[in-house]
Amino acid sequence: AQSVTQLDSHVSVSEGTPVLLRCNYSSSYSPSLFWYVQHPNKGLQLLLKYTSAATLVKGINGFEAEFKKSETSFHLTKPSAHMSDAAEYFCVVSDNFNKFYFGSGTKLNVKP
Amino acid sequence: DAGITQSPRHKVTETGTPVTLRCHQTENHRYMYWYRQDPGHGLRLIHYSYGVKDTDKGEVSDGYSVSRSKTEDFLLTLESATSSQTSVYFCAISEGTSGEYNEQFFGPGTRLTVL
């Protein structure tokens, strides 16, 4: 069975400091993993995806994530937070049957 | 942006009335999905479709039905709306292949309030 655990429901950082949003997954298959972002009252936008090509994945807006099979983790990072990064972030795992499993989300607050 | 529209975008209805939400895509993707989003739960899958007239249940399917008579349209019906179905509903599509093309694209959402 597939599942995703986002370890923090809320993260607060100061502008210009690093961002770390944690995600652990469980999968019976070789997983595809994704991070989506949702700004307030908006839809979901794909930040990045892992599909076995490379363990360090670069996404949009300076975000990246590293797939660590031994730790079953896919944490999202950014070196320097910007005010516009304030949003909710979802970690998602996909199985081999095109079903997608969402974490419960992490709300990122960026303080000036 | 992927061509996905949802209608209506906002709806207020009363308990016990039927409601149908429509998702329309112009991408010719095989897979279509309906999710609901509630605070603290992320997105939960209601139903999905893997082809015309081929549908299956998700984790929160009770009280919902779906239909897909054309590739481009996926309808979600609440037969008799309840207040617990007040939520934001998102439609998503996926091309349905593995690897690089295995990602979802989302519609703008429908905010449904059941009084």
Side-chain angles (χ1 to χ4, degrees):
Chain A
Q2 279 60 240
S3 67
V4 173
T5 302
Q6 291 186 242
L7 299 168
D8 306 292
S9 59
H10 292 81
V11 170
S12 186
V13 301
S14 297
E15 191 174 21
T17 65
V19 175
L20 170 63
L21 305 183
R22 299 182 293 166
C23 172
N24 286 107
Y25 70 91
S26 172
S27 177
S28 305
Y29 309 97
S30 181
S32 294
L33 293 157
F34 310 82
W35 276 98
Y36 283 84
V37 61
Q38 184 181 33
H39 288 91
N41 299 311
K42 300 291 187 183
L44 284 87
Q45 180 184 16
L46 180 68
L47 270 181
L48 50 80
K49 59 182 178 180
Y50 165 77
T51 54
S52 78
T55 57
L56 183 62
V57 182
K58 294 188 183 298
I60 61 172
N61 300 332
F63 285 94
E64 62 182 38
E66 186 172 7
F67 172 70
K68 292 186 176 180
K69 186 175 181 179
S70 61
E71 299 177 9
T72 61
S73 69
F74 190 57
H75 301 336
L76 182 69
T77 61
K78 183 174 181 178
S80 176
H82 191 272
M83 295 297 293
S84 61
D85 295 328
E88 189 162 21
Y89 293 79
F90 294 97
C91 183
V92 182
V93 63
S94 173
D95 64 15
N96 285 358
F97 303 99
N98 286 283
K99 290 179 74 173
F100 297 77
Y101 302 84
F102 280 73
S104 55
T106 298
K107 289 187 177 178
L108 177 64
N109 177 47
V110 183
K111 298 175 288 186
Chain B
D1 290 344
I4 311 169
T5 56
Q6 292 183 230
S7 59
R9 294 292 314 281
H10 301 270
K11 186 170 182 66
V12 179
T13 191
E14 294 189 349
T15 296
T17 60
V19 176
T20 295
L21 308 182
R22 179 181 184 236
C23 177
H24 178 79
Q25 62 147 329
T26 58
E27 305 296 322
N28 201 36
H29 282 4
R30 178 183 174 190
Y31 284 76
M32 298 185 76
Y33 309 79
W34 277 109
Y35 292 90
R36 60 177 290 172
Q37 184 178 26
D38 304 289
H41 291 278
L43 272 71
R44 293 181 291 175
L45 182 65
I46 305 171
H47 283 279
Y48 69 104
S49 170
Y50 48 95
V52 173
K53 297 187 180 179
D54 292 324
T55 65
D56 204 352
K57 296 179 179 180
E59 61 181 309
V60 290
S61 60
D62 287 348
Y64 302 94
S65 62
V66 290
S67 66
R68 191 170 178 198
S69 59
K70 298 183 291 184
T71 298
E72 57 266 35
D73 289 325
F74 192 33
L75 304 180
L76 176 71
T77 298
L78 291 65
E79 302 290 347
S80 178
T82 68
S83 58
S84 65
Q85 293 176 312
T86 292
S87 187
V88 180
Y89 292 85
F90 284 98
C91 174
I93 64 174
S94 173
E95 195 164 355
T97 57
S98 61
E100 181 179 354
Y101 302 102
N102 182 24
E103 66 183 81
Q104 288 183 309
F105 301 93
F106 286 85
T110 294
R111 185 172 296 274
L112 176 67
T113 302
V114 183
L115 301 176

